[in-house]
Amino acid sequence: MKKIFIAALMMGTTLSTQAQNEWFKNVKFSGYGMVQYQASDKDNAENNGFNLRLVRMALEGRAHQDFYWKAQMQINGNTYDPDKSSTDIRLVDLFGEWQKYEFFKVKAGQFKRPFTFENPMHPITQGFMSYSQNVSKLAGFSDRCGGHASNGRDIGVQIQGDMMWLNERPLLHYQIGAFNGEGINQKDKDNRKDIIGGVWVMPIKGMRIGAFGWTGSQNVNKDETSIRMQKNRYALSGEYAQNDWTFRTEYIHSQGWNLAHTSDKADGYYALFIAPIQKNKLHVKARYDLYREAKEWGQSKTQYEIGADYLITKNLQLNVEYARVNDRTITNADKHNYNLVDVELDFRF
């Protein structure tokens, strides 16, 4: 009996070690950092200075052929709140995905919401000094509904897939998920789930035309009373990215009460292009970026941006941008317009 027990223990230990090795033998460590200088002549808020926009470090790997997993941390200095000077460290991604079939994949954990083309894009490769205003306000970065700042992410489960293949290229993609609706590292506070999804077609190589929807709710406190706030949003998106050229545009509409404003509606639109001067080396770019907090022109903020980026090496990139800003939320009409300059050095490892 003792020999049988010892043999069983050794076999269990061996299987456990093999399983662990299966999960960790293909692990990849990577990361990137974004160092920023920004200057603005906005009236009564002039500023210029250096900023650590963010640093991210990630572990990812595959196991048992069909499973992919990723864990990612973000570190950045808290430079936007004068009352806080501590470094902000947060877990942004932690998920696993079953990827056996191209037409049906299942992801669970904390990851990007399946809403808009731009939201899931890498902060460097999305192309500009920040995500567009409508994505930032209506896709869960610094959301107009006052939710937890979440880099466009949430906790939940999602299915997605590519279908109708033609010459090794899918013509249709779909994705839909159920999420807490509270953002990263947060439990569900109203026991209701946000349903978010999208579908797009790819009629020619490099082109995507898509539509997205989002419905959900969130509990917020007003005058010491908890109320449930409804969120209903949709987005219409188009993109062409081929041969180092990029054209992208998205419109987002939101209906859902915002305690800081009298209107329950907001919308935003952007259109951009990135053109190569020297392919995979030097680019020029421009973006029209509009956001209307109350879906009114009197509450609009528009940025007209031009810039360039230069890839010093494959893993080191310099970006320069100028923006003329028209902010009609400023009460003094003579101060609606101001200038913004942004310079960033981005690196990957």
Side-chain angles (χ1 to χ4, degrees), residues 209-241:
I209 302 171
F212 301 82
W214 178 349
T215 184
S217 63
Q218 181 179 338
N219 275 1
V220 297
N221 293 319
K222 182 180 182 181
D223 300 328
E224 299 182 355
T225 301
S226 179
I227 61 174
R228 178 174 290 126
M229 180 172 59
Q230 195 68 24
K231 293 179 290 187
N232 292 296
R233 296 172 177 174
Y234 69 84
L236 302 175
S237 308
E239 180 186 58
Y240 179 76

PDB file of all heavy atoms in Angstrom, residues 209-241:
ATOM      1  N   ILE A 209     -15.823  48.130 -42.151  1.00  0.00           N
ATOM      2  CA  ILE A 209     -16.999  48.979 -41.956  1.00  0.00           C
ATOM      3  C   ILE A 209     -17.837  48.311 -40.876  1.00  0.00           C
ATOM      4  O   ILE A 209     -18.261  47.158 -41.037  1.00  0.00           O
ATOM      5  CB  ILE A 209     -17.816  49.137 -43.245  1.00  0.00           C
ATOM      6  CG1 ILE A 209     -16.945  49.727 -44.360  1.00  0.00           C
ATOM      7  CG2 ILE A 209     -19.040  50.012 -42.995  1.00  0.00           C
ATOM      8  CD1 ILE A 209     -17.611  49.724 -45.713  1.00  0.00           C
ATOM      9  N   GLY A 210     -18.048  49.007 -39.741  1.00  0.00           N
ATOM     10  CA  GLY A 210     -18.667  48.332 -38.605  1.00  0.00           C
ATOM     11  C   GLY A 210     -19.696  49.160 -37.870  1.00  0.00           C
ATOM     12  O   GLY A 210     -19.821  50.375 -38.052  1.00  0.00           O
ATOM     13  N   ALA A 211     -20.443  48.474 -36.997  1.00  0.00           N
ATOM     14  CA  ALA A 211     -21.423  49.097 -36.118  1.00  0.00           C
ATOM     15  C   ALA A 211     -21.348  48.417 -34.759  1.00  0.00           C
ATOM     16  O   ALA A 211     -21.120  47.195 -34.675  1.00  0.00           O
ATOM     17  CB  ALA A 211     -22.824  48.990 -36.698  1.00  0.00           C
ATOM     18  N   PHE A 212     -21.547  49.203 -33.697  1.00  0.00           N
ATOM     19  CA  PHE A 212     -21.433  48.700 -32.329  1.00  0.00           C
ATOM     20  C   PHE A 212     -22.621  49.179 -31.501  1.00  0.00           C
ATOM     21  O   PHE A 212     -23.196  50.235 -31.767  1.00  0.00           O
ATOM     22  CB  PHE A 212     -20.141  49.201 -31.671  1.00  0.00           C
ATOM     23  CG  PHE A 212     -18.878  48.812 -32.380  1.00  0.00           C
ATOM     24  CD1 PHE A 212     -18.418  49.543 -33.470  1.00  0.00           C
ATOM     25  CD2 PHE A 212     -18.139  47.710 -31.956  1.00  0.00           C
ATOM     26  CE1 PHE A 212     -17.251  49.187 -34.123  1.00  0.00           C
ATOM     27  CE2 PHE A 212     -16.972  47.348 -32.608  1.00  0.00           C
ATOM     28  CZ  PHE A 212     -16.525  48.088 -33.691  1.00  0.00           C
ATOM     29  N   GLY A 213     -22.952  48.404 -30.473  1.00  0.00           N
ATOM     30  CA  GLY A 213     -24.014  48.784 -29.558  1.00  0.00           C
ATOM     31  C   GLY A 213     -23.643  48.478 -28.124  1.00  0.00           C
ATOM     32  O   GLY A 213     -22.826  47.583 -27.853  1.00  0.00           O
ATOM     33  N   TRP A 214     -24.219  49.240 -27.188  1.00  0.00           N
ATOM     34  CA  TRP A 214     -23.908  49.091 -25.763  1.00  0.00           C
ATOM     35  C   TRP A 214     -25.146  49.483 -24.973  1.00  0.00           C
ATOM     36  O   TRP A 214     -25.673  50.589 -25.125  1.00  0.00           O
ATOM     37  CB  TRP A 214     -22.726  50.003 -25.429  1.00  0.00           C
ATOM     38  CG  TRP A 214     -22.261  50.032 -23.995  1.00  0.00           C
ATOM     39  CD1 TRP A 214     -22.879  49.500 -22.890  1.00  0.00           C
ATOM     40  CD2 TRP A 214     -21.054  50.633 -23.516  1.00  0.00           C
ATOM     41  NE1 TRP A 214     -22.145  49.731 -21.761  1.00  0.00           N
ATOM     42  CE2 TRP A 214     -21.009  50.432 -22.124  1.00  0.00           C
ATOM     43  CE3 TRP A 214     -20.015  51.323 -24.128  1.00  0.00           C
ATOM     44  CZ2 TRP A 214     -19.962  50.914 -21.338  1.00  0.00           C
ATOM     45  CZ3 TRP A 214     -18.986  51.795 -23.341  1.00  0.00           C
ATOM     46  CH2 TRP A 214     -18.949  51.583 -21.969  1.00  0.00           C
ATOM     47  N   THR A 215     -25.615  48.593 -24.129  1.00  0.00           N
ATOM     48  CA  THR A 215     -26.708  48.921 -23.226  1.00  0.00           C
ATOM     49  C   THR A 215     -26.374  48.412 -21.828  1.00  0.00           C
ATOM     50  O   THR A 215     -25.813  47.318 -21.684  1.00  0.00           O
ATOM     51  CB  THR A 215     -28.050  48.336 -23.712  1.00  0.00           C
ATOM     52  OG1 THR A 215     -29.105  48.772 -22.846  1.00  0.00           O
ATOM     53  CG2 THR A 215     -28.022  46.812 -23.736  1.00  0.00           C
ATOM     54  N   GLY A 216     -26.701  49.204 -20.821  1.00  0.00           N
ATOM     55  CA  GLY A 216     -26.379  48.796 -19.455  1.00  0.00           C
ATOM     56  C   GLY A 216     -26.833  49.840 -18.462  1.00  0.00           C
ATOM     57  O   GLY A 216     -27.559  50.791 -18.802  1.00  0.00           O
ATOM     58  N   SER A 217     -26.422  49.685 -17.219  1.00  0.00           N
ATOM     59  CA  SER A 217     -26.804  50.620 -16.167  1.00  0.00           C
ATOM     60  C   SER A 217     -25.681  50.714 -15.146  1.00  0.00           C
ATOM     61  O   SER A 217     -24.746  49.909 -15.136  1.00  0.00           O
ATOM     62  CB  SER A 217     -28.094  50.164 -15.480  1.00  0.00           C
ATOM     63  OG  SER A 217     -27.902  48.909 -14.845  1.00  0.00           O
ATOM     64  N   GLN A 218     -25.819  51.716 -14.273  1.00  0.00           N
ATOM     65  CA  GLN A 218     -24.790  51.951 -13.265  1.00  0.00           C
ATOM     66  C   GLN A 218     -25.436  52.640 -12.067  1.00  0.00           C
ATOM     67  O   GLN A 218     -26.242  53.560 -12.222  1.00  0.00           O
ATOM     68  CB  GLN A 218     -23.685  52.831 -13.844  1.00  0.00           C
ATOM     69  CG  GLN A 218     -22.543  53.134 -12.902  1.00  0.00           C
ATOM     70  CD  GLN A 218     -21.486  53.990 -13.580  1.00  0.00           C
ATOM     71  OE1 GLN A 218     -21.386  54.013 -14.796  1.00  0.00           O
ATOM     72  NE2 GLN A 218     -20.711  54.707 -12.791  1.00  0.00           N
ATOM     73  N   ASN A 219     -25.116  52.187 -10.867  1.00  0.00           N
ATOM     74  CA  ASN A 219     -25.596  52.839  -9.653  1.00  0.00           C
ATOM     75  C   ASN A 219     -24.678  53.997  -9.283  1.00  0.00           C
ATOM     76  O   ASN A 219     -23.460  53.827  -9.226  1.00  0.00           O
ATOM     77  CB  ASN A 219     -25.658  51.850  -8.490  1.00  0.00           C
ATOM     78  CG  ASN A 219     -26.951  51.054  -8.473  1.00  0.00           C
ATOM     79  OD1 ASN A 219     -27.814  51.224  -9.336  1.00  0.00           O
ATOM     80  ND2 ASN A 219     -27.101  50.179  -7.500  1.00  0.00           N
ATOM     81  N   VAL A 220     -25.252  55.162  -9.051  1.00  0.00           N
ATOM     82  CA  VAL A 220     -24.486  56.334  -8.639  1.00  0.00           C
ATOM     83  C   VAL A 220     -25.181  56.984  -7.439  1.00  0.00           C
ATOM     84  O   VAL A 220     -26.372  56.779  -7.211  1.00  0.00           O
ATOM     85  CB  VAL A 220     -24.359  57.353  -9.791  1.00  0.00           C
ATOM     86  CG1 VAL A 220     -23.590  56.768 -10.946  1.00  0.00           C
ATOM     87  CG2 VAL A 220     -25.732  57.822 -10.248  1.00  0.00           C
ATOM     88  N   ASN A 221     -24.429  57.764  -6.695  1.00  0.00           N
ATOM     89  CA  ASN A 221     -24.969  58.443  -5.521  1.00  0.00           C
ATOM     90  C   ASN A 221     -25.250  59.904  -5.829  1.00  0.00           C
ATOM     91  O   ASN A 221     -24.415  60.618  -6.374  1.00  0.00           O
ATOM     92  CB  ASN A 221     -23.986  58.344  -4.351  1.00  0.00           C
ATOM     93  CG  ASN A 221     -23.834  56.917  -3.855  1.00  0.00           C
ATOM     94  OD1 ASN A 221     -24.811  56.180  -3.763  1.00  0.00           O
ATOM     95  ND2 ASN A 221     -22.607  56.524  -3.564  1.00  0.00           N
ATOM     96  N   LYS A 222     -26.454  60.358  -5.458  1.00  0.00           N
ATOM     97  CA  LYS A 222     -26.844  61.749  -5.613  1.00  0.00           C
ATOM     98  C   LYS A 222     -27.616  62.165  -4.370  1.00  0.00           C
ATOM     99  O   LYS A 222     -28.641  61.560  -4.031  1.00  0.00           O
ATOM    100  CB  LYS A 222     -27.703  61.961  -6.855  1.00  0.00           C
ATOM    101  CG  LYS A 222     -28.086  63.419  -7.074  1.00  0.00           C
ATOM    102  CD  LYS A 222     -28.932  63.597  -8.318  1.00  0.00           C
ATOM    103  CE  LYS A 222     -29.255  65.078  -8.520  1.00  0.00           C
ATOM    104  NZ  LYS A 222     -30.112  65.301  -9.708  1.00  0.00           N
ATOM    105  N   ASP A 223     -27.089  63.180  -3.693  1.00  0.00           N
ATOM    106  CA  ASP A 223     -27.720  63.671  -2.468  1.00  0.00           C
ATOM    107  C   ASP A 223     -27.939  62.533  -1.465  1.00  0.00           C
ATOM    108  O   ASP A 223     -29.019  62.387  -0.880  1.00  0.00           O
ATOM    109  CB  ASP A 223     -29.054  64.354  -2.791  1.00  0.00           C
ATOM    110  CG  ASP A 223     -28.885  65.539  -3.727  1.00  0.00           C
ATOM    111  OD1 ASP A 223     -27.833  66.195  -3.643  1.00  0.00           O
ATOM    112  OD2 ASP A 223     -29.790  65.782  -4.546  1.00  0.00           O
ATOM    113  N   GLU A 224     -26.905  61.705  -1.327  1.00  0.00           N
ATOM    114  CA  GLU A 224     -26.902  60.582  -0.386  1.00  0.00           C
ATOM    115  C   GLU A 224     -27.944  59.519  -0.742  1.00  0.00           C
ATOM    116  O   GLU A 224     -28.320  58.700   0.093  1.00  0.00           O
ATOM    117  CB  GLU A 224     -27.119  61.076   1.043  1.00  0.00           C
ATOM    118  CG  GLU A 224     -26.029  62.036   1.516  1.00  0.00           C
ATOM    119  CD  GLU A 224     -26.224  62.473   2.955  1.00  0.00           C
ATOM    120  OE1 GLU A 224     -27.259  62.106   3.537  1.00  0.00           O
ATOM    121  OE2 GLU A 224     -25.344  63.173   3.481  1.00  0.00           O
ATOM    122  N   THR A 225     -28.395  59.541  -1.979  1.00  0.00           N
ATOM    123  CA  THR A 225     -29.352  58.537  -2.449  1.00  0.00           C
ATOM    124  C   THR A 225     -28.762  57.805  -3.644  1.00  0.00           C
ATOM    125  O   THR A 225     -28.225  58.427  -4.551  1.00  0.00           O
ATOM    126  CB  THR A 225     -30.682  59.190  -2.858  1.00  0.00           C
ATOM    127  OG1 THR A 225     -31.227  59.887  -1.732  1.00  0.00           O
ATOM    128  CG2 THR A 225     -31.684  58.137  -3.329  1.00  0.00           C
ATOM    129  N   SER A 226     -28.879  56.482  -3.640  1.00  0.00           N
ATOM    130  CA  SER A 226     -28.364  55.680  -4.753  1.00  0.00           C
ATOM    131  C   SER A 226     -29.433  55.580  -5.838  1.00  0.00           C
ATOM    132  O   SER A 226     -30.578  55.202  -5.569  1.00  0.00           O
ATOM    133  CB  SER A 226     -27.985  54.280  -4.270  1.00  0.00           C
ATOM    134  OG  SER A 226     -27.505  53.497  -5.347  1.00  0.00           O
ATOM    135  N   ILE A 227     -29.061  55.950  -7.061  1.00  0.00           N
ATOM    136  CA  ILE A 227     -29.984  55.857  -8.184  1.00  0.00           C
ATOM    137  C   ILE A 227     -29.333  55.046  -9.298  1.00  0.00           C
ATOM    138  O   ILE A 227     -28.118  54.995  -9.422  1.00  0.00           O
ATOM    139  CB  ILE A 227     -30.387  57.249  -8.707  1.00  0.00           C
ATOM    140  CG1 ILE A 227     -29.156  58.017  -9.216  1.00  0.00           C
ATOM    141  CG2 ILE A 227     -31.128  58.040  -7.645  1.00  0.00           C
ATOM    142  CD1 ILE A 227     -29.503  59.346  -9.870  1.00  0.00           C
ATOM    143  N   ARG A 228     -30.180  54.393 -10.107  1.00  0.00           N
ATOM    144  CA  ARG A 228     -29.669  53.601 -11.225  1.00  0.00           C
ATOM    145  C   ARG A 228     -29.684  54.457 -12.483  1.00  0.00           C
ATOM    146  O   ARG A 228     -30.700  55.029 -12.847  1.00  0.00           O
ATOM    147  CB  ARG A 228     -30.508  52.339 -11.430  1.00  0.00           C
ATOM    148  CG  ARG A 228     -30.038  51.498 -12.631  1.00  0.00           C
ATOM    149  CD  ARG A 228     -30.789  50.195 -12.732  1.00  0.00           C
ATOM    150  NE  ARG A 228     -30.419  49.308 -11.653  1.00  0.00           N
ATOM    151  CZ  ARG A 228     -31.284  48.746 -10.819  1.00  0.00           C
ATOM    152  NH1 ARG A 228     -32.567  48.997 -10.941  1.00  0.00           N
ATOM    153  NH2 ARG A 228     -30.868  47.940  -9.871  1.00  0.00           N
ATOM    154  N   MET A 229     -28.549  54.549 -13.136  1.00  0.00           N
ATOM    155  CA  MET A 229     -28.396  55.363 -14.334  1.00  0.00           C
ATOM    156  C   MET A 229     -28.270  54.442 -15.549  1.00  0.00           C
ATOM    157  O   MET A 229     -27.432  53.545 -15.590  1.00  0.00           O
ATOM    158  CB  MET A 229     -27.147  56.230 -14.199  1.00  0.00           C
ATOM    159  CG  MET A 229     -26.868  57.118 -15.378  1.00  0.00           C
ATOM    160  SD  MET A 229     -25.510  58.245 -15.001  1.00  0.00           S
ATOM    161  CE  MET A 229     -24.194  57.076 -14.632  1.00  0.00           C
ATOM    162  N   GLN A 230     -29.116  54.648 -16.546  1.00  0.00           N
ATOM    163  CA  GLN A 230     -29.120  53.833 -17.744  1.00  0.00           C
ATOM    164  C   GLN A 230     -28.104  54.349 -18.759  1.00  0.00           C
ATOM    165  O   GLN A 230     -27.880  55.566 -18.866  1.00  0.00           O
ATOM    166  CB  GLN A 230     -30.514  53.817 -18.371  1.00  0.00           C
ATOM    167  CG  GLN A 230     -30.720  52.729 -19.416  1.00  0.00           C
ATOM    168  CD  GLN A 230     -30.723  51.340 -18.832  1.00  0.00           C
ATOM    169  OE1 GLN A 230     -31.005  51.162 -17.646  1.00  0.00           O
ATOM    170  NE2 GLN A 230     -30.406  50.339 -19.641  1.00  0.00           N
ATOM    171  N   LYS A 231     -27.471  53.440 -19.503  1.00  0.00           N
ATOM    172  CA  LYS A 231     -26.537  53.797 -20.572  1.00  0.00           C
ATOM    173  C   LYS A 231     -26.946  53.072 -21.848  1.00  0.00           C
ATOM    174  O   LYS A 231     -27.073  51.839 -21.858  1.00  0.00           O
ATOM    175  CB  LYS A 231     -25.104  53.381 -20.211  1.00  0.00           C
ATOM    176  CG  LYS A 231     -24.494  54.124 -19.051  1.00  0.00           C
ATOM    177  CD  LYS A 231     -23.086  53.637 -18.759  1.00  0.00           C
ATOM    178  CE  LYS A 231     -23.081  52.234 -18.182  1.00  0.00           C
ATOM    179  NZ  LYS A 231     -21.746  51.791 -17.743  1.00  0.00           N
ATOM    180  N   ASN A 232     -27.159  53.829 -22.909  1.00  0.00           N
ATOM    181  CA  ASN A 232     -27.433  53.256 -24.222  1.00  0.00           C
ATOM    182  C   ASN A 232     -26.587  53.987 -25.247  1.00  0.00           C
ATOM    183  O   ASN A 232     -26.695  55.222 -25.382  1.00  0.00           O
ATOM    184  CB  ASN A 232     -28.916  53.371 -24.574  1.00  0.00           C
ATOM    185  CG  ASN A 232     -29.792  52.503 -23.690  1.00  0.00           C
ATOM    186  OD1 ASN A 232     -29.685  51.286 -23.711  1.00  0.00           O
ATOM    187  ND2 ASN A 232     -30.628  53.135 -22.879  1.00  0.00           N
ATOM    188  N   ARG A 233     -25.750  53.248 -25.967  1.00  0.00           N
ATOM    189  CA  ARG A 233     -24.815  53.870 -26.899  1.00  0.00           C
ATOM    190  C   ARG A 233     -24.710  53.060 -28.190  1.00  0.00           C
ATOM    191  O   ARG A 233     -24.910  51.849 -28.184  1.00  0.00           O
ATOM    192  CB  ARG A 233     -23.418  53.975 -26.260  1.00  0.00           C
ATOM    193  CG  ARG A 233     -23.377  54.889 -25.054  1.00  0.00           C
ATOM    194  CD  ARG A 233     -22.070  54.840 -24.311  1.00  0.00           C
ATOM    195  NE  ARG A 233     -22.075  55.795 -23.205  1.00  0.00           N
ATOM    196  CZ  ARG A 233     -21.125  55.918 -22.295  1.00  0.00           C
ATOM    197  NH1 ARG A 233     -20.047  55.139 -22.363  1.00  0.00           N
ATOM    198  NH2 ARG A 233     -21.221  56.805 -21.338  1.00  0.00           N
ATOM    199  N   TYR A 234     -24.371  53.769 -29.260  1.00  0.00           N
ATOM    200  CA  TYR A 234     -24.036  53.076 -30.497  1.00  0.00           C
ATOM    201  C   TYR A 234     -22.899  53.815 -31.185  1.00  0.00           C
ATOM    202  O   TYR A 234     -22.671  55.006 -30.948  1.00  0.00           O
ATOM    203  CB  TYR A 234     -25.257  52.941 -31.415  1.00  0.00           C
ATOM    204  CG  TYR A 234     -25.753  54.232 -32.029  1.00  0.00           C
ATOM    205  CD1 TYR A 234     -25.176  54.752 -33.194  1.00  0.00           C
ATOM    206  CD2 TYR A 234     -26.826  54.926 -31.463  1.00  0.00           C
ATOM    207  CE1 TYR A 234     -25.642  55.924 -33.766  1.00  0.00           C
ATOM    208  CE2 TYR A 234     -27.297  56.103 -32.026  1.00  0.00           C
ATOM    209  CZ  TYR A 234     -26.706  56.591 -33.180  1.00  0.00           C
ATOM    210  OH  TYR A 234     -27.161  57.760 -33.740  1.00  0.00           O
ATOM    211  N   ALA A 235     -22.184  53.099 -32.037  1.00  0.00           N
ATOM    212  CA  ALA A 235     -21.068  53.675 -32.784  1.00  0.00           C
ATOM    213  C   ALA A 235     -21.101  53.161 -34.214  1.00  0.00           C
ATOM    214  O   ALA A 235     -21.437  51.995 -34.458  1.00  0.00           O
ATOM    215  CB  ALA A 235     -19.736  53.319 -32.128  1.00  0.00           C
ATOM    216  N   LEU A 236     -20.755  54.030 -35.145  1.00  0.00           N
ATOM    217  CA  LEU A 236     -20.609  53.685 -36.554  1.00  0.00           C
ATOM    218  C   LEU A 236     -19.168  53.963 -36.947  1.00  0.00           C
ATOM    219  O   LEU A 236     -18.660  55.065 -36.697  1.00  0.00           O
ATOM    220  CB  LEU A 236     -21.571  54.509 -37.410  1.00  0.00           C
ATOM    221  CG  LEU A 236     -23.062  54.368 -37.052  1.00  0.00           C
ATOM    222  CD1 LEU A 236     -23.897  55.341 -37.891  1.00  0.00           C
ATOM    223  CD2 LEU A 236     -23.533  52.934 -37.252  1.00  0.00           C
ATOM    224  N   SER A 237     -18.507  52.989 -37.564  1.00  0.00           N
ATOM    225  CA  SER A 237     -17.056  53.071 -37.752  1.00  0.00           C
ATOM    226  C   SER A 237     -16.639  52.663 -39.162  1.00  0.00           C
ATOM    227  O   SER A 237     -17.251  51.772 -39.771  1.00  0.00           O
ATOM    228  CB  SER A 237     -16.353  52.139 -36.741  1.00  0.00           C
ATOM    229  OG  SER A 237     -16.799  52.389 -35.430  1.00  0.00           O
ATOM    230  N   GLY A 238     -15.584  53.299 -39.630  1.00  0.00           N
ATOM    231  CA  GLY A 238     -14.995  52.926 -40.906  1.00  0.00           C
ATOM    232  C   GLY A 238     -13.487  53.107 -40.864  1.00  0.00           C
ATOM    233  O   GLY A 238     -12.981  54.041 -40.227  1.00  0.00           O
ATOM    234  N   GLU A 239     -12.771  52.204 -41.529  1.00  0.00           N
ATOM    235  CA  GLU A 239     -11.308  52.289 -41.533  1.00  0.00           C
ATOM    236  C   GLU A 239     -10.757  51.661 -42.803  1.00  0.00           C
ATOM    237  O   GLU A 239     -11.264  50.647 -43.297  1.00  0.00           O
ATOM    238  CB  GLU A 239     -10.725  51.569 -40.322  1.00  0.00           C
ATOM    239  CG  GLU A 239      -9.198  51.629 -40.264  1.00  0.00           C
ATOM    240  CD  GLU A 239      -8.611  50.790 -39.139  1.00  0.00           C
ATOM    241  OE1 GLU A 239      -8.871  49.570 -39.112  1.00  0.00           O
ATOM    242  OE2 GLU A 239      -7.914  51.355 -38.295  1.00  0.00           O
ATOM    243  N   TYR A 240      -9.692  52.272 -43.308  1.00  0.00           N
ATOM    244  CA  TYR A 240      -8.888  51.668 -44.370  1.00  0.00           C
ATOM    245  C   TYR A 240      -7.432  51.802 -43.959  1.00  0.00           C
ATOM    246  O   TYR A 240      -6.928  52.912 -43.756  1.00  0.00           O
ATOM    247  CB  TYR A 240      -9.118  52.350 -45.717  1.00  0.00           C
ATOM    248  CG  TYR A 240      -8.282  51.751 -46.820  1.00  0.00           C
ATOM    249  CD1 TYR A 240      -8.630  50.528 -47.393  1.00  0.00           C
ATOM    250  CD2 TYR A 240      -7.131  52.389 -47.281  1.00  0.00           C
ATOM    251  CE1 TYR A 240      -7.856  49.958 -48.402  1.00  0.00           C
ATOM    252  CE2 TYR A 240      -6.356  51.835 -48.278  1.00  0.00           C
ATOM    253  CZ  TYR A 240      -6.722  50.624 -48.841  1.00  0.00           C
ATOM    254  OH  TYR A 240      -5.944  50.051 -49.822  1.00  0.00           O
ATOM    255  N   ALA A 241      -6.751  50.693 -43.799  1.00  0.00           N
ATOM    256  CA  ALA A 241      -5.344  50.675 -43.395  1.00  0.00           C
ATOM    257  C   ALA A 241      -4.601  49.678 -44.279  1.00  0.00           C
ATOM    258  O   ALA A 241      -4.769  48.462 -44.146  1.00  0.00           O
ATOM    259  CB  ALA A 241      -5.202  50.284 -41.930  1.00  0.00           C
TER     260      ALA A 241
END
